[in-house]
Amino acid sequence: MQNLIDENCLLTPAIQRRLKEKRLQLGLTYRLLGDYFHVSWSTFQKWERAPAPARCQKHFRNLLNSYLGGEHDEALRTYQDPVEDLIEKWRRLPPLVHQCMERITTTYDLCQGRPDLRQALVQALDNAAQNALQRLFS
């Protein structure tokens, strides 16, 4: 592995350019990169776009060097954004389920000052799901 980022963790303009080129080459969003590497999307954006020379924290040095060295390319090409996956699953649900989930969300929000009611709502939902699963498999 070639270490482009040295012990001082400086992100020079050349390194920032390579970060951007790598992201665009792989067709990745900041959000997907952040999720994959367990950092916020804005962290990747700052590494790429902050006024140079920027710095990364020392524990990200090896990560960024391996990313720039192509060690994550294959995994990133096939990596699925969990948020996009959830949105796609949400879109496939029938409208009645959307209405029910919206009602539950609104009720949960309205019960903000009543943790006992929030807990009862969550427990009732869990019981309903368990009951449906038991009936499905019996």
Side-chain angles (χ1 to χ4, degrees):
M1 170 177 73
Q2 181 186 11
N3 288 326
L4 298 171
I5 303 168
D6 65 16
E7 305 82 40
N8 297 318
C9 300
L10 287 178
L11 304 176
T12 64
I15 292 171
Q16 289 177 306
R17 220 175 5 265
R18 288 192 62 172
L19 287 170
K20 181 177 182 178
E21 289 168 2
K22 173 65 80 174
R23 180 178 57 80
L24 295 175
Q25 171 197 4
L26 295 171
L28 303 172
T29 63
Y30 292 119
R31 189 175 71 199
L32 192 132
L33 280 167
D35 183 68
Y36 181 83
F37 289 116
H38 307 288
V39 297
S40 73
W41 67 269
S42 63
T43 297
F44 256 87
Q45 184 181 47
K46 287 174 190 171
W47 288 336
E48 189 178 294
R49 299 175 63 188
R55 285 191 185 273
C56 66
Q57 295 176 342
K58 289 193 185 276
H59 61 276
F60 289 120
R61 179 178 170 257
N62 290 337
L63 170 76
L64 289 175
N65 279 324
S66 64
Y67 168 68
L68 289 171
E71 293 178 34
H72 301 274
D73 288 4
E74 190 60 37
L76 283 165
R77 281 189 185 96
T78 59
Y79 187 70
Q80 296 295 311
D81 186 346
V83 173
E84 287 299 320
D85 190 42
L86 285 174
I87 290 170
E88 184 56 36
K89 287 178 182 175
W90 171 263
R91 286 185 183 131
R92 287 186 250 141
L93 294 172
L96 185 58
V97 173
H98 286 240
Q99 291 169 357
C100 184
M101 291 176 78
E102 188 173 321
R103 190 173 322 126
I104 291 165
T105 301
T106 301
T107 304
Y108 188 84
D109 288 344
L110 288 171
C111 293
Q112 182 176 4
R114 294 284 308 271
D116 57 319
L117 292 178
R118 278 186 162 185
Q119 185 176 358
L121 177 63
V122 171
Q123 187 62 54
L125 290 169
D126 189 49
N127 290 343
Q130 289 293 336
N131 196 2
L133 288 170
Q134 286 174 350
R135 291 174 62 191
L136 177 66
F137 294 110
S138 61

